[in-house]
Amino acid sequence: LFAGLAMGTKYGGAFMMPTLALALFLGIPGGLRDVLGDRRLWLGGLLSLIVFVTAYAVTNPFAVVNAVELSKDLEFAGRIVSDAEGDARSWLWTLFDPKVAAINGVGIAFAVQLVIRRTWLTDRAIACLLFWILTYLGFLLINVRFIASQYLLPVSSALALIVAQPMVSEKRRLLV
């Protein structure tokens, strides 16, 4: 639902779909063969896609009625963000811009620590957050040349969740 609503406000919301697919995949116990053979994966994937498209269609009926115009709009948006002068290094500098460096820097340090400790192997939520950060940031680094810090908001939000996770765990431990 939220991926479809996000897509309705910014096309980057579509990048939530691979993370949702990963969450579905990780939510089913068993080995790869068991997971791929489980109807819940395919039914959940289909249902997620239907809800995504419905939420997008309800919030953007013009796009559904005028699919040709939507296609042109997506193409135009793609040209805007890819025809500028920025590059991957520019994104890295923006990631550590003084306005957002504190949360992004601490978040990246925590994320690296989670990878090194292999926490992502046992914590599905962490695996999904890290996957989201890598896929979205990867898209920006590879495809988007128009450098603007607001494009990093989804990454900063996910990094903030990673930073908050140990604090929430400690609070629960202290309250017990």
Side-chain angles (χ1 to χ4, degrees):
L1 174 67
F2 292 111
L5 295 174
M7 174 74 175
T9 57
K10 281 285 194 189
Y11 296 131
F15 290 103
M16 292 176 78
M17 291 306 288
T19 304
L20 290 173
L22 178 66
L24 279 168
F25 189 83
L26 294 176
I28 298 174
L32 181 60
R33 180 172 288 202
D34 296 331
V35 172
L36 291 176
D38 195 314
R39 279 189 312 189
R40 292 177 296 174
L41 175 69
W42 302 106
L43 186 59
L46 179 62
L47 185 60
S48 295
L49 184 61
I50 290 169
V51 170
F52 173 86
V53 169
T54 302
Y56 179 71
V58 167
T59 57
N60 292 285
F62 174 80
V64 176
V65 174
N66 297 311
V68 173
E69 290 298 319
L70 173 64
S71 176
K72 288 179 185 176
D73 188 35
L74 290 172
E75 183 182 328
F76 179 69
R79 278 197 319 264
I80 287 173
V81 298
S82 63
D83 288 346
E85 297 295 322
D87 60 7
R89 280 182 308 192
S90 302
W91 277 115
L92 294 175
W93 284 113
T94 305
L95 193 60
F96 293 105
D97 181 272
K99 294 177 282 219
V100 292
I103 193 65
N104 288 344
V106 171
I108 289 170
F110 273 60
V112 168
Q113 175 255 350
L114 292 170
V115 170
I116 291 170
R117 289 187 176 179
R118 297 179 181 226
T119 306
W120 59 276
L121 289 171
T122 57
D123 188 328
R124 293 183 297 234
I126 293 296
C128 289
L129 274 173
L130 291 173
F131 182 75
W132 164 250
I133 291 167
L134 290 174
T135 55
Y136 191 82
L137 193 55
F139 169 75
L140 291 178
L141 291 170
I142 294 168
N143 291 318
V144 178
R145 302 288 173 244
F146 180 73
I147 310 300
S149 59
Q150 70 264 23
Y151 290 134
L152 286 173
L153 287 174
V155 172
S156 297
S157 300
L159 290 171
L161 288 172
I162 286 175
V163 170
Q165 189 266 340
M167 291 182 249
V168 171
S169 297
E170 282 300 309
K171 179 182 177 196
R172 286 186 191 141
R173 189 175 67 84
L174 293 173
L175 291 176
V176 172

